[in-house]
Amino acid sequence: MSELKIVFVGHVDHGKSTIIGRLLYETHSLPQGIIDKVQRIADENGKDFEFAYLLDAFAEERQQGITIDMTQIKFATAKRNYLIIDAPGHKEFLKNMISGAANANAAFLVIDAQAGVQEQSRRHAYLLSLLGIKNIAVLVNKMDLVNFDEQRFRAVAADIKNFLATLNVTPKKIIPVSGFLGDNIISKSENLSWYGGETLINSPLHTRDFSRELSGAL
């Protein structure tokens, strides 16, 4: 089977590592014992368990709370193989982000529903367009922090769509999600019943032709 390389990018603290961790957890793609290991690390540091810790493999990253180097995870379904790339979100590590995104076939741009589109959101979108990655989907994350409000989602969606239009890029999908709670990652969320589109796993990650089938913009 061919391998689809998908890079996750976004402003620091907008939750992309949490989304990836949740995705791997919900699809039973994690190595045996990794959840217990991460829980022990969280307990030792006096912190609550977070799915982002599954990606942030380095002790320095756990201390700083940011992804410094890109993390690559192989992932498979019955339909195809994937390489998921978690690229750094902090502005000091843009070089690492570019290295991670350079060989990707497609990208997820993660935006915090509460914070909205930020400087790094725009910068990452711009860099994706420079790299020639046009197959971009947007995940409006942390919908739980805005009480799953439809109007807030639409405002953020309109903002990023308008900016992407200046780059001649049309997002293939814009999906409201909560990586922390798992809403719209694998299955439809009752909290987001007003959203009629697909979940993260049911739209891009199971398609044979990402560019063709990620076609329904919001």
Side-chain angles (χ1 to χ4, degrees), residues 91-111:
K91 64 181 180 181
E92 294 179 11
F93 306 111
L94 279 177
K95 180 179 178 181
N96 304 67
M97 176 266 169
I98 295 171
S99 297
N103 296 318
N105 307 115
F108 281 113
L109 175 60
V110 179
I111 298 176

Side-chain angles (χ1 to χ4, degrees), residues 159-177:
D159 192 5
I160 191 59
K161 281 180 68 176
N162 289 338
F163 177 73
L164 289 173
T166 67
L167 305 175
N168 295 316
V169 173
T170 300
K172 308 302 182 181
K173 295 285 183 183
I174 303 182
I175 307 173
V177 302

Side-chain angles (χ1 to χ4, degrees), residues 33-43 49-50 53-54:
I34 189 66
I35 292 293
D36 292 338
K37 179 180 179 181
V38 171
Q39 184 65 66
R40 285 197 304 272
I41 293 172
D43 292 342
F49 175 89
E50 293 186 21
Y53 292 161
L54 299 172

Side-chain angles (χ1 to χ4, degrees), residues 14-26:
H14 279 208
K16 59 188 176 53
S17 295
T18 297
I19 290 174
I20 299 172
R22 169 67 75 168
L23 174 64
L24 296 174
Y25 174 75
E26 296 286 356

Side-chain angles (χ1 to χ4, degrees), residues 102-170:
N103 296 318
N105 307 115
F108 281 113
L109 175 60
V110 179
I111 298 176
D112 184 325
Q114 191 172 55
V117 179
Q118 299 290 306
E119 176 189 358
Q120 287 298 104
S121 309
R122 297 184 179 92
R123 184 173 286 131
H124 284 185
Y126 176 68
L127 290 173
L128 289 175
S129 69
L130 284 183
L131 291 170
I133 301 174
K134 300 295 185 181
N135 299 321
I136 300 173
V138 177
L139 300 176
V140 180
N141 190 30
K142 303 188 182 183
M143 287 298 300
D144 53 301
L145 297 185
V146 295
N147 297 316
F148 303 99
D149 183 67
E150 178 180 3
Q151 295 308 312
R152 180 55 185 164
F153 165 71
R154 294 196 175 277
V156 175
D159 192 5
I160 191 59
K161 281 180 68 176
N162 289 338
F163 177 73
L164 289 173
T166 67
L167 305 175
N168 295 316
V169 173
T170 300

